Amino acid sequence: MKPLLISLVLSGAIIGGSFWVTSGSSRPSRAIPENNVSIVDGKQIIEIWAKGGYQPRKSTAKAGIPTILRFNTNGTFDCSSSVRIPSMNVSKSLPQSGSTDIDIGLGILGTLQGSCGMGMYPFEVEFQS
């Protein structure tokens, strides 16, 4: 009877622990602000959070303003830690935690598309007049 009780307790601990670990890793560590575009000292900064994909997946910004894409990471170990913007020949590895700026020059009218290194997680920035 005692080995059965120990087995049940250990099984419950393993199952409960796996739920705790997996549910905690999929939650965003912070709320993504609704407006992720700001202008500071004449530069447009578009903030994108990278972890399990990119948030927000679509941003809207103004064309014709010097623009920086700022990628924020926090314990990012997945494919989204590798950013690609093929039309600008940009390929950048992001740190596991921190922020990385990519200067993309003047935002050109239209849609700028990017993705993770394997192309699994896309994002885009629509530049409007």
Side-chain angles (χ1 to χ4, degrees), residues 35-56:
N35 183 7
N36 65 322
V37 179
S38 60
I39 296 178
V40 178
D41 296 329
K43 285 195 173 188
Q44 182 169 234
I45 298 172
I46 302 169
E47 293 204 58
I48 298 174
W49 285 263
K51 186 174 185 179
Y54 300 101
Q55 295 295 324

PDB file of all heavy atoms in Angstrom, residues 35-56:
ATOM      1  N   ASN A  35      -0.399  51.064 -28.448  1.00  0.00           N
ATOM      2  CA  ASN A  35       0.336  51.900 -29.387  1.00  0.00           C
ATOM      3  C   ASN A  35       1.823  51.647 -29.189  1.00  0.00           C
ATOM      4  O   ASN A  35       2.411  52.074 -28.208  1.00  0.00           O
ATOM      5  CB  ASN A  35       0.007  53.374 -29.150  1.00  0.00           C
ATOM      6  CG  ASN A  35       0.693  54.264 -30.153  1.00  0.00           C
ATOM      7  OD1 ASN A  35       1.316  53.790 -31.106  1.00  0.00           O
ATOM      8  ND2 ASN A  35       0.598  55.549 -29.948  1.00  0.00           N
ATOM      9  N   ASN A  36       2.414  50.947 -30.122  1.00  0.00           N
ATOM     10  CA  ASN A  36       3.826  50.583 -29.996  1.00  0.00           C
ATOM     11  C   ASN A  36       4.734  51.481 -30.811  1.00  0.00           C
ATOM     12  O   ASN A  36       5.899  51.181 -30.977  1.00  0.00           O
ATOM     13  CB  ASN A  36       4.027  49.118 -30.400  1.00  0.00           C
ATOM     14  CG  ASN A  36       3.729  48.882 -31.863  1.00  0.00           C
ATOM     15  OD1 ASN A  36       2.791  49.466 -32.414  1.00  0.00           O
ATOM     16  ND2 ASN A  36       4.506  48.039 -32.496  1.00  0.00           N
ATOM     17  N   VAL A  37       4.163  52.593 -31.338  1.00  0.00           N
ATOM     18  CA  VAL A  37       4.945  53.501 -32.163  1.00  0.00           C
ATOM     19  C   VAL A  37       5.011  54.862 -31.462  1.00  0.00           C
ATOM     20  O   VAL A  37       3.988  55.404 -31.044  1.00  0.00           O
ATOM     21  CB  VAL A  37       4.306  53.664 -33.558  1.00  0.00           C
ATOM     22  CG1 VAL A  37       5.118  54.624 -34.416  1.00  0.00           C
ATOM     23  CG2 VAL A  37       4.176  52.310 -34.243  1.00  0.00           C
ATOM     24  N   SER A  38       6.232  55.386 -31.323  1.00  0.00           N
ATOM     25  CA  SER A  38       6.393  56.703 -30.717  1.00  0.00           C
ATOM     26  C   SER A  38       7.448  57.475 -31.502  1.00  0.00           C
ATOM     27  O   SER A  38       8.229  56.893 -32.262  1.00  0.00           O
ATOM     28  CB  SER A  38       6.811  56.567 -29.248  1.00  0.00           C
ATOM     29  OG  SER A  38       8.040  55.886 -29.154  1.00  0.00           O
ATOM     30  N   ILE A  39       7.449  58.779 -31.324  1.00  0.00           N
ATOM     31  CA  ILE A  39       8.460  59.614 -31.962  1.00  0.00           C
ATOM     32  C   ILE A  39       9.250  60.298 -30.859  1.00  0.00           C
ATOM     33  O   ILE A  39       8.686  60.993 -30.013  1.00  0.00           O
ATOM     34  CB  ILE A  39       7.823  60.640 -32.918  1.00  0.00           C
ATOM     35  CG1 ILE A  39       7.130  59.907 -34.059  1.00  0.00           C
ATOM     36  CG2 ILE A  39       8.886  61.601 -33.466  1.00  0.00           C
ATOM     37  CD1 ILE A  39       6.416  60.788 -35.046  1.00  0.00           C
ATOM     38  N   VAL A  40      10.565  60.035 -30.864  1.00  0.00           N
ATOM     39  CA  VAL A  40      11.462  60.591 -29.855  1.00  0.00           C
ATOM     40  C   VAL A  40      12.609  61.279 -30.574  1.00  0.00           C
ATOM     41  O   VAL A  40      13.309  60.656 -31.378  1.00  0.00           O
ATOM     42  CB  VAL A  40      12.001  59.477 -28.920  1.00  0.00           C
ATOM     43  CG1 VAL A  40      12.981  60.060 -27.902  1.00  0.00           C
ATOM     44  CG2 VAL A  40      10.866  58.751 -28.223  1.00  0.00           C
ATOM     45  N   ASP A  41      12.791  62.571 -30.296  1.00  0.00           N
ATOM     46  CA  ASP A  41      13.871  63.356 -30.910  1.00  0.00           C
ATOM     47  C   ASP A  41      13.875  63.226 -32.430  1.00  0.00           C
ATOM     48  O   ASP A  41      14.934  63.057 -33.053  1.00  0.00           O
ATOM     49  CB  ASP A  41      15.235  62.947 -30.340  1.00  0.00           C
ATOM     50  CG  ASP A  41      15.358  63.242 -28.852  1.00  0.00           C
ATOM     51  OD1 ASP A  41      14.722  64.223 -28.381  1.00  0.00           O
ATOM     52  OD2 ASP A  41      16.070  62.495 -28.155  1.00  0.00           O
ATOM     53  N   GLY A  42      12.711  63.279 -33.033  1.00  0.00           N
ATOM     54  CA  GLY A  42      12.599  63.239 -34.493  1.00  0.00           C
ATOM     55  C   GLY A  42      12.722  61.853 -35.103  1.00  0.00           C
ATOM     56  O   GLY A  42      12.685  61.715 -36.322  1.00  0.00           O
ATOM     57  N   LYS A  43      12.911  60.827 -34.278  1.00  0.00           N
ATOM     58  CA  LYS A  43      12.994  59.451 -34.803  1.00  0.00           C
ATOM     59  C   LYS A  43      11.762  58.667 -34.375  1.00  0.00           C
ATOM     60  O   LYS A  43      11.334  58.748 -33.219  1.00  0.00           O
ATOM     61  CB  LYS A  43      14.248  58.740 -34.295  1.00  0.00           C
ATOM     62  CG  LYS A  43      15.499  59.201 -34.974  1.00  0.00           C
ATOM     63  CD  LYS A  43      16.632  58.245 -34.731  1.00  0.00           C
ATOM     64  CE  LYS A  43      17.814  58.677 -35.587  1.00  0.00           C
ATOM     65  NZ  LYS A  43      18.890  57.718 -35.552  1.00  0.00           N
ATOM     66  N   GLN A  44      11.249  57.933 -35.306  1.00  0.00           N
ATOM     67  CA  GLN A  44      10.102  57.072 -35.035  1.00  0.00           C
ATOM     68  C   GLN A  44      10.621  55.729 -34.505  1.00  0.00           C
ATOM     69  O   GLN A  44      11.483  55.102 -35.127  1.00  0.00           O
ATOM     70  CB  GLN A  44       9.334  56.877 -36.341  1.00  0.00           C
ATOM     71  CG  GLN A  44       8.096  56.054 -36.238  1.00  0.00           C
ATOM     72  CD  GLN A  44       7.277  56.159 -37.516  1.00  0.00           C
ATOM     73  OE1 GLN A  44       6.125  56.479 -37.462  1.00  0.00           O
ATOM     74  NE2 GLN A  44       7.905  55.896 -38.662  1.00  0.00           N
ATOM     75  N   ILE A  45      10.106  55.334 -33.362  1.00  0.00           N
ATOM     76  CA  ILE A  45      10.538  54.077 -32.754  1.00  0.00           C
ATOM     77  C   ILE A  45       9.354  53.123 -32.723  1.00  0.00           C
ATOM     78  O   ILE A  45       8.295  53.451 -32.195  1.00  0.00           O
ATOM     79  CB  ILE A  45      11.084  54.295 -31.332  1.00  0.00           C
ATOM     80  CG1 ILE A  45      12.306  55.211 -31.402  1.00  0.00           C
ATOM     81  CG2 ILE A  45      11.434  52.965 -30.668  1.00  0.00           C
ATOM     82  CD1 ILE A  45      12.823  55.663 -30.063  1.00  0.00           C
ATOM     83  N   ILE A  46       9.550  51.976 -33.334  1.00  0.00           N
ATOM     84  CA  ILE A  46       8.509  50.947 -33.367  1.00  0.00           C
ATOM     85  C   ILE A  46       8.989  49.804 -32.478  1.00  0.00           C
ATOM     86  O   ILE A  46       9.991  49.160 -32.774  1.00  0.00           O
ATOM     87  CB  ILE A  46       8.271  50.441 -34.805  1.00  0.00           C
ATOM     88  CG1 ILE A  46       7.882  51.613 -35.700  1.00  0.00           C
ATOM     89  CG2 ILE A  46       7.202  49.357 -34.828  1.00  0.00           C
ATOM     90  CD1 ILE A  46       7.874  51.288 -37.177  1.00  0.00           C
ATOM     91  N   GLU A  47       8.280  49.603 -31.367  1.00  0.00           N
ATOM     92  CA  GLU A  47       8.686  48.557 -30.431  1.00  0.00           C
ATOM     93  C   GLU A  47       7.949  47.258 -30.728  1.00  0.00           C
ATOM     94  O   GLU A  47       6.728  47.239 -30.878  1.00  0.00           O
ATOM     95  CB  GLU A  47       8.407  48.982 -28.992  1.00  0.00           C
ATOM     96  CG  GLU A  47       9.294  50.134 -28.580  1.00  0.00           C
ATOM     97  CD  GLU A  47       9.488  50.219 -27.098  1.00  0.00           C
ATOM     98  OE1 GLU A  47       9.963  49.237 -26.504  1.00  0.00           O
ATOM     99  OE2 GLU A  47       9.150  51.271 -26.550  1.00  0.00           O
ATOM    100  N   ILE A  48       8.716  46.197 -30.808  1.00  0.00           N
ATOM    101  CA  ILE A  48       8.174  44.867 -31.084  1.00  0.00           C
ATOM    102  C   ILE A  48       8.759  43.904 -30.053  1.00  0.00           C
ATOM    103  O   ILE A  48       9.968  43.919 -29.809  1.00  0.00           O
ATOM    104  CB  ILE A  48       8.535  44.416 -32.519  1.00  0.00           C
ATOM    105  CG1 ILE A  48       7.912  45.382 -33.543  1.00  0.00           C
ATOM    106  CG2 ILE A  48       8.074  42.982 -32.777  1.00  0.00           C
ATOM    107  CD1 ILE A  48       8.326  45.127 -34.982  1.00  0.00           C
ATOM    108  N   TRP A  49       7.902  43.115 -29.443  1.00  0.00           N
ATOM    109  CA  TRP A  49       8.339  42.148 -28.442  1.00  0.00           C
ATOM    110  C   TRP A  49       8.503  40.795 -29.115  1.00  0.00           C
ATOM    111  O   TRP A  49       7.591  40.331 -29.826  1.00  0.00           O
ATOM    112  CB  TRP A  49       7.346  42.079 -27.288  1.00  0.00           C
ATOM    113  CG  TRP A  49       7.491  43.292 -26.408  1.00  0.00           C
ATOM    114  CD1 TRP A  49       8.212  43.369 -25.249  1.00  0.00           C
ATOM    115  CD2 TRP A  49       6.956  44.600 -26.623  1.00  0.00           C
ATOM    116  NE1 TRP A  49       8.148  44.647 -24.745  1.00  0.00           N
ATOM    117  CE2 TRP A  49       7.392  45.418 -25.558  1.00  0.00           C
ATOM    118  CE3 TRP A  49       6.157  45.167 -27.622  1.00  0.00           C
ATOM    119  CZ2 TRP A  49       7.048  46.755 -25.467  1.00  0.00           C
ATOM    120  CZ3 TRP A  49       5.830  46.505 -27.523  1.00  0.00           C
ATOM    121  CH2 TRP A  49       6.274  47.275 -26.449  1.00  0.00           C
ATOM    122  N   ALA A  50       9.644  40.180 -28.893  1.00  0.00           N
ATOM    123  CA  ALA A  50       9.970  38.906 -29.537  1.00  0.00           C
ATOM    124  C   ALA A  50      10.038  37.798 -28.502  1.00  0.00           C
ATOM    125  O   ALA A  50      10.894  37.817 -27.606  1.00  0.00           O
ATOM    126  CB  ALA A  50      11.310  39.020 -30.271  1.00  0.00           C
ATOM    127  N   LYS A  51       9.109  36.899 -28.572  1.00  0.00           N
ATOM    128  CA  LYS A  51       9.126  35.679 -27.753  1.00  0.00           C
ATOM    129  C   LYS A  51       7.967  34.816 -28.225  1.00  0.00           C
ATOM    130  O   LYS A  51       6.812  35.232 -28.116  1.00  0.00           O
ATOM    131  CB  LYS A  51       8.986  35.987 -26.275  1.00  0.00           C
ATOM    132  CG  LYS A  51       9.155  34.763 -25.391  1.00  0.00           C
ATOM    133  CD  LYS A  51       9.159  35.128 -23.930  1.00  0.00           C
ATOM    134  CE  LYS A  51       9.462  33.907 -23.081  1.00  0.00           C
ATOM    135  NZ  LYS A  51       9.493  34.233 -21.656  1.00  0.00           N
ATOM    136  N   GLY A  52       8.268  33.689 -28.780  1.00  0.00           N
ATOM    137  CA  GLY A  52       7.210  32.834 -29.327  1.00  0.00           C
ATOM    138  C   GLY A  52       6.484  33.524 -30.473  1.00  0.00           C
ATOM    139  O   GLY A  52       5.300  33.327 -30.680  1.00  0.00           O
ATOM    140  N   GLY A  53       7.184  34.354 -31.209  1.00  0.00           N
ATOM    141  CA  GLY A  53       6.613  35.163 -32.288  1.00  0.00           C
ATOM    142  C   GLY A  53       6.861  36.631 -31.980  1.00  0.00           C
ATOM    143  O   GLY A  53       7.637  36.960 -31.086  1.00  0.00           O
ATOM    144  N   TYR A  54       6.223  37.494 -32.742  1.00  0.00           N
ATOM    145  CA  TYR A  54       6.415  38.930 -32.565  1.00  0.00           C
ATOM    146  C   TYR A  54       5.088  39.578 -32.211  1.00  0.00           C
ATOM    147  O   TYR A  54       4.066  39.280 -32.827  1.00  0.00           O
ATOM    148  CB  TYR A  54       6.983  39.551 -33.850  1.00  0.00           C
ATOM    149  CG  TYR A  54       8.315  38.957 -34.225  1.00  0.00           C
ATOM    150  CD1 TYR A  54       8.396  38.001 -35.230  1.00  0.00           C
ATOM    151  CD2 TYR A  54       9.463  39.313 -33.556  1.00  0.00           C
ATOM    152  CE1 TYR A  54       9.604  37.421 -35.560  1.00  0.00           C
ATOM    153  CE2 TYR A  54      10.681  38.741 -33.875  1.00  0.00           C
ATOM    154  CZ  TYR A  54      10.745  37.801 -34.879  1.00  0.00           C
ATOM    155  OH  TYR A  54      11.935  37.225 -35.202  1.00  0.00           O
ATOM    156  N   GLN A  55       5.126  40.445 -31.224  1.00  0.00           N
ATOM    157  CA  GLN A  55       3.934  41.172 -30.796  1.00  0.00           C
ATOM    158  C   GLN A  55       4.209  42.660 -30.790  1.00  0.00           C
ATOM    159  O   GLN A  55       5.209  43.069 -30.201  1.00  0.00           O
ATOM    160  CB  GLN A  55       3.495  40.709 -29.400  1.00  0.00           C
ATOM    161  CG  GLN A  55       3.049  39.274 -29.336  1.00  0.00           C
ATOM    162  CD  GLN A  55       1.808  39.030 -30.143  1.00  0.00           C
ATOM    163  OE1 GLN A  55       0.923  39.884 -30.205  1.00  0.00           O
ATOM    164  NE2 GLN A  55       1.727  37.893 -30.794  1.00  0.00           N
ATOM    165  N   PRO A  56       3.402  43.483 -31.396  1.00  0.00           N
ATOM    166  CA  PRO A  56       2.293  43.061 -32.252  1.00  0.00           C
ATOM    167  C   PRO A  56       2.816  42.531 -33.581  1.00  0.00           C
ATOM    168  O   PRO A  56       3.914  42.865 -34.008  1.00  0.00           O
ATOM    169  CB  PRO A  56       1.495  44.345 -32.441  1.00  0.00           C
ATOM    170  CG  PRO A  56       2.492  45.437 -32.295  1.00  0.00           C
ATOM    171  CD  PRO A  56       3.516  44.942 -31.315  1.00  0.00           C
TER     172      PRO A  56
END
